[in-house]
Every structure is written in structure tokens, then in C-alpha cells.
Amino acid sequence: MTQLSESPVTTHSTETTESTPAPVTPDARTTPAESGTTGAQALIRALEEVGVDTVFGIPGGAILPAYDPLMDSAKVRHILVRHEQGAGHAATGYAQATGRVGVCMATSGPGATNLVTPIADAYMDSVPIVAITGQVPSTLIGRDAFQEADICGITMPITKHNYLVTDPDEIPRVIAEAFHIAATGRPGPVLVDITKDALQGLTRHRQIEPSLPGYRPVTKPHAKQIREAAKMLVGAKRPVLYVGGGVIKAQATTELRILAELTGAPVVTTLMALGAFPDSHPQHLGMPGMHGSVPAVTALQKTDLLFTLGARFDDRVTGKLESFAPHAKVVHADIDPAEIGKNRPADVPIVGDAREVLADLIVAVQAEFDAGHKGDYSQWWDKLDEWKKTYPLGYEPAPGGRLSPQQVIERIGRLVGPEAIYAAGVGQHQMWSSQFIRFEKPGTWLNSGGAGTMGYAVPAAMGAKAGRPDTAVWAIDGDGCFQMTNQELATCALNDIPIKVAVINNGSLGMVRQWQTLFYNQRYSNTVLHAGPDHDGIAPPAQGTRIPDFVLLSEAMGCVGLRCERPEDLDAVIKQAMEINDRPVVIDFIVHQDAMVWPMVAAGTSNDEIQFAKGVRPDFGDDLD
């Protein structure tokens, strides 16, 4: 157990770009508290003052004092979830869809530890959430009290910052600081753990300003680095704009498009950046990475300038790091200096907010053009266009007139359209969604990119719909992921959150099965979901055998349950779901189990080893100088 210091607020931080907040000084601006104001009342007021309109949570003993004044709040809507993990993912979905800080709340002990997975998920994907947890009374900390857990210590590596609050007077200041830290610099989760006696105790004064003298994220890039980057971009023969999720978080997509069209450089967008640059734009090559498009993956391998914006050289993008983009110089712009040079050395490092970086780059590139320096990418585009034509994304029809999972997802995207929000779970359906749904706008694609959290889709869609109730929200989920968090369908039904859920039901843990097919001699160990342990993993489910029956399960939780098994019924079922807006809708799409995600770069191998389809290696030629 961690030891309490004499300070009423214990802080922990893993943020690499900013300093730990300093303690409040005696001269910090404060006001007398209203007579009889409890710490719990101060908490709810503080949430109202920072603009919170939605909280996802579950009450319990240690946090219960906060739930009494929450009942009286006219500004904060509380959504009672069915599991704390659902609260955390809903806060993340809310934040990703709205651009505001998401909020979740839980009690001490197991309530708090159930938030660990979504907190880690938000940390990996740089999503701003504030998790508020109750803690046992301060006099019992370290004594193995009932439902005691050192949640600050547990989450220290997976939060941007966290607090343990034992004094009710500190609650308003800590809440203001937590929201500021979560939303600024590189966004991320902040935990606020408040002891029960602090919630029940009376406040003596209210500090009304945060005190963060050491926290000053660098947002403005250095002018010299910008000029050097612009010269390299104009002088390159085969540049690629490698765009990550930081561009969306900085709300810099307009500036990105201006720079791309000004220069004519090709653009690739990572899994976290889908929608940052329109899929339909002729300069867009697609998504790079393990299951990225052949043109995107190959362009990164052949480029002479990797112009990196808000991306972190994730292993799923680079493949074998030593062989990644072997001919490229690197410009790397990021809000977090710890990311620059972490995986790939940068020739021109730029620390700053992506929006400010791009705005300055546009001016610098135009200055290069005005000086008569303009790159010629025509030969590069000849080769890129050849790859785009030769190696488009596609799939084979399912055998025997069955449904293809790619076809299901493609038709959902086409019929529902680019204005909707799509939240995916993790696995094959996630990759197919990234490939076959056209993303034209930022904030329309939600997924667990860094942590790869199964069970993310349904609660994240719930949070997105709560934040943007007038927007259609679809969760694209696998039958394995769906069985982890589908209890939140009841939450949606009871709280007027009419999401749509498309279950891509192949009766197995599909991505694991794909690896077993390719690398484990088709030995399907513990990946069959529709049958018991004696099943060989090859035979399809017996007729009429559905355990569980997702239609009946959905109806039991107050949703409309639909099923589709035939291609000829596909569009009609999707349209039927689109017309139902008073309840959540779940569609059980029965798809064939042997579909695979292609293209593919096997884990740990070079991107040069990309396979367009099983046993099909692209031929790129050697005519690039």
C-alpha cells in the first residue's frame, strides 16, 4: 500500500511531457464555503462548473455520499451502467465522439479496479477522461479495510495523472485541475480518488482556481524546425504524409487537407486517424499497418521522406522496426516529446500541437514555392497509382450463398453513410470495418487501437450516442466481443440511447482462428464459441444451435433483435434497423467462419513481406531511384 503524506492531496503522474502539479500555496485564491456544504456537494458543483453534462457510473459504499447531491443536479445526467468497465468505455466513446472530457464514476475496491481496463485503453489511445472513485475513509487506508484497493498505485502507469483526496476543501481545485490536465497537451485519463470522509466532511473554504505552475504543455512549434521540415518536404521525390490520431485530437483536419493539397503529397492515415483525411480523396492511399492497404504499406517502405504528424510509429504500423521505411528521412511532429525518437530517430523533430504545426507548415511551404522551390512528385504518383489500381481492397464471395462478413460491413457503411459514428470491437470485424467503411469526417470512427480491448464497442457506442444523440451510432462487434459487455444494452434501453449493433457472428474468436489457420496448422484450440470443447473447430454450427441466441438475448434486454443469414436479405434488414429509433437494435449477422483479413503483414516480419491475399505477394518492381 502507498503511504499517505501529510498533504491532504497525494498526486501521482506518469505524464512525460509535463511536470507534476505543485501543492496549493497558502495565498491561492479561495472563497469561504457555503455553510454546511459537504465534500460531496462540492464535487457535484465542481463537475457542473467544468461543464460536465453526463456521467457514467455505479454507486457503492465509498462513493455513495456523492450520489445523494448528484440526484439534485439539474445539469449533470447520470447514466447507471451495468458494469464499471462499461462506464469507462462509455466515457471514452463520449470523449471521442464529442471532443469533450468523458467522465465515469465508481466505488472503492472492485468498483475502482473494474475501471482499470478502460483507463488503460484511454491512456493508450490518448483519450481525455476523468475517472472519479470513492475510497475508504482516510483512517482506514493501509489497514486492508473492506473494499479497499490502492487504485492510485494500481493506475499510476496508465494515467496521465492521479490524485488521492482526503480533505473536502481540496475537491473543487482537484476537479478543475483534473479536467485541465486530461484535455490539454497530449490528452489522457486522470483519476481522482476521494476518501469517504472527505465526501462526508464539511468544507471550510473553496479554492476556485487550479494551481498548476509546472504544467505548461508546449503547443507552438519552433520556427527553425518548421522551415527545415518545409524544405525537406518540397525537396523530396517520394514523400508520404504519415498521419496519426493526434491530428484528429488537435482538430487539425482542415489544416491537414490544405497542406496535402498544397504539396500534392500522398497521405496515409493510421487506424486511430481514420476520417482525418477523406477516404475518397485521390491523394489518400489508405491505412498502413498489419492489415493496411498495399499502396499505403508499400509507400511507407519506398518513401524518401516520412513526414509524420501526430503518430507514434506503433509496431502494428512499422512491422519489423529495423526494416521499416529504410530509405526515408524522418520529420516527426508530436505534442509529446517523449514520442519523438522513441521508436525511430527523427531528422527533424518538431514538438507542438498538430494544428499549430500544420498551420505554420502551410505558410513555410508556400514561402518555399514563392522562392521557386517546388517538388515534382509525378513519377512517384505514377507508381502509387499503379499500386492502387493493381492492389485494391477486396474480398471473395462467401461459399454456398452464405453471408460474407466484409459484404455485411460494406453494405452497412454504404446504406448508413459517412455522417454516422461507427464503433468497432477488436479483431477481424475491426479490421474489415476500417477497410470497407468509407470515413470522410473526423470523429466518426471509434475503436480501441493501442490496447485492443475486446468488449469496447457496445459501451463506447452508448457513450457516443449519449454525447451526440442526433447522430446515428452503429457498433460493429464480433460475437466474442459482444459477449463481454452486451449487458450495457439494458442500460441503453432504459436510458433512451437507441444505438444499432451489428454482430458479425462467425461462431468463433475470428482473428485468433485466422492465426491458428495460418500459423498453427488449423489446430483450433479454444476459439469455437458456438459449441463445447469437443468440437473440432471446422464443422459449422448445427442447424438451430445458437448458444446464446443473440436475438432472444437482445429482446430480453429491451432491444429489437433481428437476424440475417442470406445475402439477398442483407439490405432489407439493415434498412429495417435504420427505421427503428425508439429502442436499441441488434442484428445477428450469421457469416461464414473461414473469412480472413487481407492484406496482412505477419507479426514480427518486415512490411516488405506483405501478402495481398493468402500466398500472394505483390510485385513492386525495382524501378524507383
Side-chain angles (χ1 to χ4, degrees):
M1 285 300 208
T2 56
Q3 297 296 313
L4 283 173
S5 66
E6 296 180 1
S7 169
V9 181
T10 303
T11 65
H12 308 272
S13 178
T14 56
E15 173 64 22
T16 57
T17 63
E18 296 123 8
S19 303
T20 302
V24 182
T25 56
D27 59 348
R29 199 152 67 87
T30 62
T31 59
E34 293 182 12
S35 177
T37 300
T38 66
Q41 291 171 320
L43 170 63
I44 303 307
R45 179 181 297 176
L47 292 176
E48 293 174 342
E49 289 176 351
V50 295
V52 172
D53 59 16
T54 306
V55 173
F56 305 91
I58 302 179
I63 195 66
L64 195 56
Y67 271 81
D68 187 65
L70 179 60
M71 190 175 184
D72 298 324
S73 176
K75 297 179 180 180
V76 179
R77 175 193 187 189
H78 181 272
I79 295 175
L80 177 63
V81 299
R82 296 304 181 262
H83 191 284
E84 291 87 356
Q85 183 178 351
H89 291 317
T92 296
Y94 175 98
Q96 289 179 307
T98 65
R100 302 193 295 271
V101 177
V103 185
C104 53
M105 189 179 295
T107 196
S108 63
T113 58
N114 280 341
L115 288 176
V116 169
T117 294
I119 289 172
D121 183 274
Y123 184 72
M124 288 288 285
D125 288 343
S126 302
V127 180
I129 68 170
V130 170
I132 300 169
T133 54
Q135 183 55 275
V136 300
S138 57
T139 55
L140 297 181
I141 291 179
R143 300 176 183 271
D144 293 331
F146 177 68
Q147 290 193 333
E148 179 188 1
D150 177 15
I151 195 62
C152 285
I154 291 168
T155 61
M156 189 185 300
I158 55 170
T159 50
K160 186 176 178 183
H161 196 71
N162 63 33
Y163 295 87
L164 172 60
V165 184
T166 60
D167 183 343
D169 287 338
E170 300 294 337
I171 292 173
R173 174 185 62 81
V174 167
I175 292 297
E177 290 180 5
F179 277 77
H180 179 69
I181 292 170
T184 55
R186 180 177 182 174
V190 176
L191 175 89
V192 180
D193 193 33
I194 310 174
T195 60
K196 188 171 185 178
D197 51 331
L199 291 169
Q200 292 174 320
L202 297 179
T203 58
R204 299 178 301 278
H205 62 267
R206 293 180 73 236
Q207 176 160 349
I208 59 176
E209 286 186 352
S211 179
L212 297 167
Y215 178 78
R216 292 183 178 85
V218 176
T219 60
K220 184 68 175 173
H222 196 286
K224 180 181 178 182
Q225 302 299 88
I226 291 291
R227 290 194 299 270
E228 185 63 28
K231 288 179 182 178
M232 292 180 69
L233 182 56
V234 171
K237 293 183 178 180
R238 302 187 302 276
V240 175
L241 300 183
Y242 164 32
V243 177
V247 170
I248 291 179
K249 290 175 173 62
Q251 300 180 354
T253 56
T254 299
E255 289 79 5
L256 170 64
R257 183 163 183 166
I258 292 171
L259 179 68
E261 293 179 345
L262 177 65
T263 61
V267 179
V268 302
T269 50
T270 67
L271 183 65
M272 296 305 299
L274 297 180
F277 195 76
D279 278 355
S280 61
H281 197 287
Q283 288 174 238
H284 192 234
L285 301 182
M287 182 182 74
M290 176 178 282
H291 294 293
S293 71
V294 170
V297 172
T298 308
L300 293 183
Q301 290 302 98
K302 305 294 186 181
T303 183
D304 64 356
L305 178 63
L306 204 54
F307 207 96
T308 310
L309 299 161
R312 57 186 180 86
F313 292 86
D314 175 73
D315 62 287
R316 283 296 196 259
V317 169
T318 66
K320 186 179 180 181
L321 188 59
E322 294 79 8
S323 65
F324 177 66
H327 312 295
K329 290 186 177 298
V330 175
V331 173
H332 192 176
D334 203 283
I335 189 71
D336 185 355
E339 288 296 341
I340 298 175
K342 184 175 76 175
N343 293 323
R344 173 70 178 257
D347 297 280
V348 179
I350 303 174
V351 177
D353 177 80
R355 192 171 188 178
E356 296 199 37
V357 169
L358 283 162
D360 288 355
L361 279 169
I362 292 166
V363 175
V365 168
Q366 187 61 58
E368 288 293 315
F369 289 173
D370 293 343
H373 308 140
K374 190 165 185 178
D376 180 5
Y377 309 147
S378 57
Q379 289 186 335
W380 182 221
W381 270 111
D382 287 344
K383 183 56 67 174
L384 295 172
D385 287 337
E386 178 185 329
W387 295 337
K388 289 172 72 175
K389 181 179 180 180
T390 307
Y391 304 107
L393 290 171
Y395 55 91
E396 294 183 357
R402 301 188 65 190
L403 269 178
S404 160
Q406 300 98 318
Q407 180 188 18
V408 170
I409 292 168
E410 184 176 46
R411 293 308 297 165
I412 290 172
R414 291 282 180 87
L415 294 173
V416 177
E419 302 295 328
I421 294 172
Y422 301 90
V426 170
Q428 287 181 315
H429 64 279
Q430 175 192 27
M431 295 297 100
W432 288 321
S433 297
S434 71
Q435 293 175 336
F436 296 108
I437 295 174
R438 305 279 280 185
F439 297 101
E440 303 294 327
K441 296 181 178 182
T444 56
W445 167 244
L446 317 180
N447 83 124
S448 173
T453 306
M454 293 180 67
Y456 168 90
V458 170
M462 175 176 70
K465 186 67 173 177
R468 292 173 59 182
D470 296 329
T471 302
V473 179
W474 281 71
I476 312 291
D477 221 358
D479 48 328
C481 289
F482 183 66
Q483 293 184 69
M484 293 189 174
T485 52
N486 61 39
Q487 68 271 9
E488 300 308 335
L489 291 173
T491 308
C492 292
L494 292 170
N495 289 275
D496 191 25
I497 305 175
I499 64 172
K500 311 289 194 294
V501 182
V503 181
I504 309 302
N505 185 354
N506 61 4
S508 68
L509 299 173
M511 187 61 84
V512 184
R513 177 187 171 86
Q514 176 168 332
W515 283 44
Q516 288 173 331
T517 300
L518 296 175
F519 309 122
Y520 293 90
N521 299 315
Q522 297 182 323
R523 289 166 55 83
Y524 299 114
S525 173
N526 290 282
T527 48
V528 177
L529 295 173
H530 61 73
D534 295 332
H535 194 277
D536 63 3
I538 299 175
Q543 188 68 27
T545 301
R546 306 189 191 281
I547 302 176
D549 186 315
F550 292 141
V551 171
L552 296 179
L553 178 65
S554 302
E555 291 174 346
M557 287 195 272
C559 306
V560 174
L562 305 173
R563 179 171 290 119
C564 182
E565 302 184 63
R566 305 187 308 164
E568 55 266 35
D569 299 330
L570 179 57
D571 283 13
V573 173
I574 295 171
K575 290 177 181 177
Q576 182 182 355
M578 292 172 63
E579 292 170 356
I580 300 170
N581 293 302
D582 60 340
R583 286 170 289 170
V585 181
V586 177
I587 312 174
D588 185 15
F589 290 103
I590 309 298
V591 301
H592 81 105
Q593 63 185 2
D594 293 318
M596 293 192 187
V597 183
W598 300 104
M600 181 176 179
V601 178
T605 66
S606 170
N607 283 350
D608 290 327
E609 304 298 315
I610 187 171
Q611 292 193 38
F612 179 55
K614 187 175 182 180
V616 179
R617 288 275 307 281
D619 180 9
F620 302 114
D622 299 315
D623 54 348
L624 287 173
D625 56 20

